[in-house]
Amino acid sequence: MLAFAFKRFLGAWPTLLILATLAFVLVRAAPGGPFDVEKSLPPEIQANLDRQYHLDEPLAKQYGRFLAGLAQGDLGPSFQYKDYTVNELIATGFPVSLRLGALAMGVALLLGLSLGVIAALRQNTFTDYAVMATAMTGISIPNFVMAPLLILLFAVALNWLPAGGWEGGHWKHTLLPVIALSLPQVAYIARLTRGSMLEVLRSNFIRTARAKGVPERWVILRHALRPALLPVVSYLGPATAAIVTGSVVVEQIFGIPGLGRYFVQGALNRDYTLVMGVVVFYGALIVAFNLLVDLIYAWLDPRIRY
Amino acid sequence: MTAPLLNVDALSVHFATADGELCAVDGVSFAISKGETLGIVGESGSGKSQTVLALLGLLSANGRASGRAVFNGRDLLDLPIRDLNQVRGKEVSMIFQDPMTSLNPYLSIATQMTEVLALHQRLGRSAARAQALQMLAAVGIAAPERRIDQYPHEFSGGMRQRVMIAMALLCDPHLLIADEPTTALDVTVQAQTVGLMRELQTQRDTAIILITHDLGVVAGLCDRIAVMYAGRIVETGPVDAMFSDPQHPYTRGLLTSVPRLDEITGERLATIPGNPPAITQRPRGCAYRDRCAYAFAACAEHPPPLQTVINGRAKACHLEVLP
């Protein structure tokens, strides 16, 4: 098991290197540069800025500098937020995004799993159809549509909740963004759970458990839940990625000062270091989460323990 | 004669499907006494598995059983699920056809075995484990101390069926239902499994219902057999008499289509022409009519009831005597 974890850990590094390289190339492939403004700068100032941020160096050297910084965990200075390093910006923005993302993931798992199990146990009843219809809606409506709808309903029409802002993560400001972010995941996890639970309940070993006289509640909890969870566990990797990308949009709509907003601002301003830094940071996060998922998977299924 | 352990009377199983209600088992009656072994023989789709699944309430969700199945004075078909769970695995155990998928791949053998003892005998962890170890040794699993903490995928097919048998016998059931226990195993392992069941039965005086389509297994293990065809019992009686003098044309057809190694004649092996009728289109009269060499007018009229021929033997055929 430890050897397996270590092997997967080693395998993660090339992925990150490719990701860093892609971020480096793509951000520079975008038209325009970090210091383009309406009125062009005098050439001396432009040259000074370029020298200051090493933009006058050949690309290979910039790339080398970027990687060397990465190796030391230094993502460099932000081009737009003067006197801030990218590390500092991530340190300010990420706790907000983490709170939002973790809440959304928690809600997605809790609600998705319970709804999925309930729908499976009540297959072809009204409950089942209601859950699945809601889930279908949740999957079909993207969060950039859901978020404004939620604002219109709960903030503008009913005036129950604020339309945006963060206020240090007060629950009134957290509720709508978490709903917008988690709803598609709740829906997807519910469908996934229902399907796999139904399949597991039809399997021979469940019949064996019933034939042994195990009460139905224990048949579900002890015999069926673990195998039914496996597809959900393997979806956790993509779910993390979906929540990370979703948070970029949702933070923007609700005006939440999270990492996603820095990222969007950085991309618009061609803040090369900030964009690359956030990409690598989130990339590392997703890779780490996938690693964790693999380990959970192996722990759940004895047949793939190494 | 004392009252039988299990008395099944007019058991029918219907499935609600998109094509309407299908009848998989059509009024089957049989009885089994303590220590006896009853073989239920028939082709795939003859309803033999559904018959025994119905006894323990294990039909799939769209299935419905009717009739009576009185076991130790209680009708199993009429028992609330709480009471039925007290019978399942304790008084009546079941082992299934496919040992590769019948054990839970995610739980250790220890968990799966001790669970039964915790449920039915309220045994603590260590006592249950000790008893499970003893049972594994009894079914011939070497080094049970090591094997018990392993998972099903670490066992071969034959070994898994042994685990299934051990698990089924943990609570010393009065009745063991074995649904094609040897079908998925290779021939040498089949023989071992049959031997094991026979040995355990003589030790414990367990009654066994053995579902199979292997007449060799029947000959080796059973006292009586019931031959099923298209959801009905067509002939039943003591195994020796049935083998030497089958009364129903279908039983005779089955017996003559078994290859024999001791009488190599050079002739083609006899077969029964045609196929059993599909469950969706069972004919009005005798279901075997179209494949029967002796069918006559009455056979198309109405299905023959199961009638006693001589003591202990019964057949469902319009023919008085099989020519």
Side-chain angles (χ1 to χ4, degrees):
Chain A
M1 189 75 177
L2 262 173
F4 167 65
F6 187 66
K7 215 163 68 187
R8 293 305 316 262
F9 179 71
L10 286 185
W13 293 105
T15 316
L16 283 177
L17 182 67
I18 292 169
L19 188 71
T21 310
L22 276 176
F24 180 86
V25 172
L26 286 177
V27 75
R28 279 168 177 75
F35 307 110
D36 293 353
V37 278
E38 301 277 307
K39 216 164 54 172
S40 60
L41 294 165
E44 305 83 47
I45 296 179
Q46 180 77 46
N48 269 339
L49 277 171
D50 282 354
R51 190 163 342 102
Q52 165 86 29
Y53 292 106
H54 307 289
L55 291 173
D56 54 345
E57 292 173 353
L59 275 183
K61 196 165 178 197
Q62 290 184 41
Y63 179 61
R65 190 181 292 281
F66 169 55
L67 288 189
L70 266 188
Q72 295 163 28
D74 176 12
L75 298 168
S78 165
F79 288 6
Q80 292 293 333
Y81 297 87
K82 298 272 177 285
D83 303 326
Y84 282 99
T85 65
V86 173
N87 292 51
E88 284 165 344
L89 290 177
I90 290 179
T92 355
F94 184 60
V96 173
S97 295
L98 178 67
R99 180 163 178 153
L100 185 64
L103 278 171
M105 184 64 108
V107 168
L109 279 176
L110 207 70
L111 228 62
L113 285 175
S114 3
L115 287 177
V117 170
I118 289 169
L121 296 183
R122 308 247 164 101
Q123 196 196 358
N124 296 335
T125 63
F126 176 75
T127 320
D128 182 21
Y129 296 142
V131 169
M132 282 306 108
T134 317
M136 204 60 228
T137 320
I139 288 174
S140 315
I141 302 179
N143 47 27
F144 58 82
V145 176
M146 182 55 79
L149 285 179
L150 288 173
I151 293 175
L152 277 176
L153 180 62
F154 291 103
V156 179
L158 296 171
N159 206 14
W160 287 352
L161 292 164
W166 185 244
E167 304 298 323
H170 189 277
W171 69 267
K172 280 187 172 173
H173 291 268
T174 330
L175 199 57
L176 290 184
V178 166
I179 293 176
L181 198 51
S182 62
L183 208 58
Q185 307 310 317
V186 171
Y188 197 86
I189 290 176
R191 284 173 60 87
L192 210 58
T193 310
R194 176 183 181 270
S196 68
M197 186 54 118
L198 283 178
E199 199 180 307
V200 170
L201 285 177
R202 271 197 298 270
S203 59
N204 283 341
F205 64 84
I206 293 299
R207 190 179 57 187
T208 306
R210 289 186 179 135
K212 290 195 295 191
V214 180
E216 194 61 20
R217 190 155 41 104
W218 284 106
V219 171
I220 306 291
L221 290 176
R222 190 183 289 158
H223 289 267
L225 198 57
R226 188 195 285 234
L229 277 181
L230 288 175
V232 179
V233 169
S234 41
Y235 175 65
L236 285 186
T240 318
I243 283 184
V244 165
T245 46
S247 72
V248 172
V249 177
V250 169
E251 284 173 14
Q252 194 69 22
I253 294 174
F254 285 95
I256 295 169
L259 199 45
R261 265 191 101 202
Y262 284 124
F263 181 72
V264 174
Q265 295 307 322
L268 292 176
N269 295 332
R270 306 284 185 271
D271 192 340
Y272 289 170
T273 41
L274 180 57
V275 169
M276 292 189 302
V278 174
V279 166
V280 170
F281 178 74
Y282 268 154
L285 195 75
I286 292 172
V287 165
F289 216 82
N290 275 304
L291 188 71
L292 187 71
V293 163
D294 282 346
L295 295 181
I296 296 177
Y297 208 96
W299 173 68
L300 280 175
D301 190 343
R303 286 171 297 184
I304 50 168
R305 281 175 203 169
Y306 296 86
Chain B
M1 201 176 128
T2 53
L5 181 67
L6 171 71
N7 198 348
V8 177
D9 185 32
L11 172 70
S12 293
V13 175
H14 290 87
F15 289 98
T17 70
D19 304 329
E21 181 137 292
L22 298 180
C23 175
V25 179
D26 186 7
V28 161
S29 303
F30 60 88
I32 181 167
S33 310
K34 196 164 181 278
E36 194 183 24
T37 304
L38 171 71
I40 300 183
V41 184
E43 290 169 71
S44 305
S46 59
K48 52 195 195 305
S49 288
Q50 299 306 328
T51 302
V52 290
L53 288 175
L55 293 179
L56 283 184
L58 295 172
L59 294 173
S60 60
N62 62 338
R64 191 173 50 77
S66 57
R68 281 164 61 80
V70 178
F71 174 80
N72 276 345
R74 288 180 297 176
D75 184 359
L76 293 179
L77 302 184
D78 206 26
L79 228 47
I81 185 70
R82 284 179 69 97
D83 298 337
L84 187 60
N85 274 335
Q86 289 303 310
V87 174
R88 289 170 169 180
K90 185 182 186 184
E91 294 171 53
V92 183
S93 285
M94 193 151 174
I95 52 184
F96 295 98
Q97 176 172 359
D98 188 357
M100 307 307 274
T101 58
S102 292
L103 288 165
N104 190 331
Y106 304 97
L107 299 175
S108 69
I109 300 301
T111 310
Q112 298 186 56
M113 288 186 78
T114 52
E115 169 182 59
V116 183
L117 293 164
L119 267 171
H120 294 309
Q121 303 190 341
R122 308 257 165 242
L123 285 190
R125 189 184 274 252
S126 58
R129 188 183 165 89
Q131 195 163 328
L133 281 171
Q134 210 175 3
M135 192 52 80
L136 285 178
V139 297
I141 286 180
E145 278 285 358
R146 184 172 60 81
R147 300 289 264 168
I148 194 168
D149 289 315
Q150 291 183 331
Y151 289 83
H153 69 275
E154 295 167 273
F155 287 72
S156 67
M159 285 296 150
R160 285 189 216 186
Q161 198 58 295
R162 280 171 194 254
V163 171
M164 281 295 289
I165 294 173
M167 201 156 78
L169 294 178
L170 274 173
C171 295
D172 242 330
H174 301 299
L175 174 63
L176 176 67
I177 298 173
D179 185 3
E180 307 208 29
T182 60
T183 306
L185 306 175
D186 58 51
V187 180
T188 48
V189 182
Q190 278 183 15
Q192 289 170 8
T193 310
V194 169
L196 175 68
M197 286 176 57
R198 188 163 44 200
E199 190 187 312
L200 294 170
Q201 183 184 30
T202 43
Q203 284 168 15
R204 295 158 181 269
D205 211 22
T206 316
I208 297 180
I209 296 179
L210 178 74
I211 310 268
T212 181
H213 54 241
D214 184 337
L215 293 170
V217 173
V218 170
L221 208 57
C222 297
D223 304 312
R224 283 190 309 123
I225 58 177
V227 179
M228 282 190 74
Y229 187 81
R232 290 158 170 265
I233 292 181
V234 294
E235 186 174 2
T236 173
V239 69
D240 297 339
M242 294 264 292
F243 272 29
S244 60
D245 178 27
Q247 293 287 312
H248 193 283
Y250 178 62
T251 316
R252 184 196 274 178
L254 280 183
L255 289 169
T256 50
S257 49
V258 176
R260 300 194 56 149
L261 293 177
D262 55 342
E263 289 176 16
I264 295 170
T265 58
E267 288 171 27
R268 279 181 76 92
L269 186 64
T271 54
I272 302 175
N275 288 304
I279 187 166
T280 45
Q281 38 198 301
R282 297 242 165 99
R284 199 161 60 89
C286 173
Y288 187 59
R289 185 180 78 230
D290 291 340
R291 305 172 77 186
C292 181
Y294 313 104
F296 60 105
C299 303
E301 294 293 315
H302 52 92
L306 191 65
Q307 286 172 314
T308 305
V309 186
I310 38 170
N311 202 14
R313 297 194 62 179
K315 68 168 176 179
C317 183
H318 289 303
L319 281 173
E320 288 290 325
V321 185
L322 192 58

